[in-house]
Amino acid sequence: MAVTIKDVAKAAGVAPSTVSRVIADHPRISPATKKKVKKAMKEMGYHPNANARGLANRSTQSLGVVLPSSANKALQNPFFPEVLRGISAVAHQLDYSILLSTGEKDEEMLEGVQRMVYANRVDGIILLYSQVNDPILCFLLEKDFPFVVIGKPGERVDEITHVDNDNIRSGKTITNHLIELGHKNIAFIGGSTDLIVTLDRLRGYQLALEEAKLPYLEEYRIHTEFLKSGGRRAVHELFNLSEPPTGLVIADDLMSIGVINMLEESGMLVPEDVSIVSFNNVYLAEVTRPPLTTVDIHIYELGFQAAKCLIDKVQNKLEPAKRIIVPFTIEYRQSAQMIGKR
């Protein structure tokens, strides 16, 4: 026979209404009572009927997570599994499940998000990217649907809850590291200029060069997808310039690893011939050869904070927009060295 709320109430020594409140995570129920009821539910194998609960309080107990377009590429980048780990930690704690939404093109992504919203599949949505003129962002604002952005929104920043790093400051700090090592010809390799994160890191690089009175040259700036063979051609062009760079600021660790391989194919060594600094501190950054000097953006924490903010918004429609800046640190490793040192 199926276990009922009454059975759980009897076992825990509480009223059936108290069990219902524990299931709905009512704030007035004490932690001790919640613990006692949840223990009885677990021991008796009682699972609340998610559909019935959803109809009662219009909640799905699910969060939608939207990956940037072409998730087949995105998931190759260790950033995404790590940010999902942070989101999952909070979701698991608070009994939410996660629904991933992906798409090859912007239109497919928008359709996926519209399905989630119109079919009442999720209570709120986390966008794992931030791009200029994003139709998904406009749709969610228009529908007044709870959502959080990881990154800095391209518009209406004060109205949108977002969790980010100070990418301008980290871009400036990491570029200054190369300047302090004596590098004067420093190039920037970044992802698409539709992504706010690329624009902010580029801006930081520019500010560092301007402050140090170093040239900010068009031919020293290369934009290619975060994973793409286009990087090969770009790198080749850079090192065929009459004054090739001695230092590279690269907007993403995975891209840096690709660049190191390309340089080696051309007979150039990192850091002996070219110093590289990077961003994200994904787990590969430490094990690659040489290990990367990189900005640790605390990816897990970005996901953790985003999920917390979203659940706050879901549970309280009047929750004001928040801007949470996760501090960065720099991991100094062997991919950058003093100019001229061999």
Side-chain angles (χ1 to χ4, degrees), residues 103-162:
E104 281 290 318
K105 300 187 181 73
D106 283 359
E107 308 86 75
E108 285 176 22
M109 285 170 66
L110 179 59
E111 281 165 21
V113 170
Q114 287 171 335
R115 275 197 301 275
M116 286 201 284
V117 172
Y118 291 136
N120 192 31
R121 288 181 184 172
V122 295
D123 294 341
I125 284 173
I126 299 174
L127 301 181
L128 295 192
Y129 67 92
S130 174
Q131 69 181 41
V132 182
N133 305 322
D134 184 10
I136 291 173
L137 197 87
C138 297
F139 168 74
L140 293 170
L141 282 169
E142 185 195 314
K143 293 290 166 204
D144 194 23
F145 194 78
F147 75 99
V148 170
V149 173
I150 291 184
K152 186 170 79 185
E155 57 225 290
R156 296 166 72 173
V157 176
D158 298 332
E159 295 169 49
I160 295 168
T161 294
H162 59 284

Side-chain angles (χ1 to χ4, degrees), residues 193-302:
T193 48
D194 285 344
L195 297 171
I196 309 291
V197 63
T198 303
L199 296 174
D200 278 0
R201 288 171 181 176
L202 175 64
R203 179 74 184 130
Y205 156 84
Q206 180 184 4
L207 288 170
L209 294 182
E210 283 173 359
E211 245 175 55
K213 308 268 191 300
L214 292 175
Y216 177 62
L217 306 171
E218 182 96 20
E219 60 267 33
Y220 273 8
R221 297 196 302 280
I222 288 170
H223 291 281
T224 177
E225 241 184 74
F226 270 44
L227 281 173
K228 213 175 182 196
S229 54
R232 195 171 296 276
R233 182 182 46 83
V235 169
H236 188 68
E237 282 171 16
L238 255 190
F239 289 95
N240 276 335
L241 291 170
S242 56
E243 257 197 290
T246 61
L248 298 177
V249 177
I250 304 179
D252 174 83
D253 288 340
L254 209 54
M255 215 188 243
S256 296
I257 292 166
V259 170
I260 289 171
N261 290 339
M262 290 173 213
L263 291 169
E264 280 181 357
E265 282 171 20
S266 313
M268 297 176 79
L269 295 175
V270 176
E272 292 83 350
D273 300 313
V274 189
S275 283
I276 287 179
V277 294
S278 187
F279 292 83
N280 292 2
N281 194 34
V282 299
Y283 63 86
L284 289 171
E286 208 170 346
V287 297
T288 190
R289 287 286 159 262
L292 292 171
T293 289
T294 184
V295 177
D296 190 341
I297 60 170
H298 303 288
I299 302 167
Y300 175 91
E301 188 65 17
L302 288 169

Side-chain angles (χ1 to χ4, degrees), residues 43-58:
E43 282 171 359
M44 299 174 80
Y46 176 78
H47 296 284
N49 182 326
N51 289 342
R53 186 175 65 186
L55 288 171
N57 61 14
R58 305 288 298 151

Side-chain angles (χ1 to χ4, degrees), residues 5-6 8-10 12-21 37:
I5 278 183
K6 282 182 181 168
V8 174
K10 194 174 172 186
V14 297
S17 59
T18 303
V19 177
S20 297
R21 287 193 179 112
V37 171

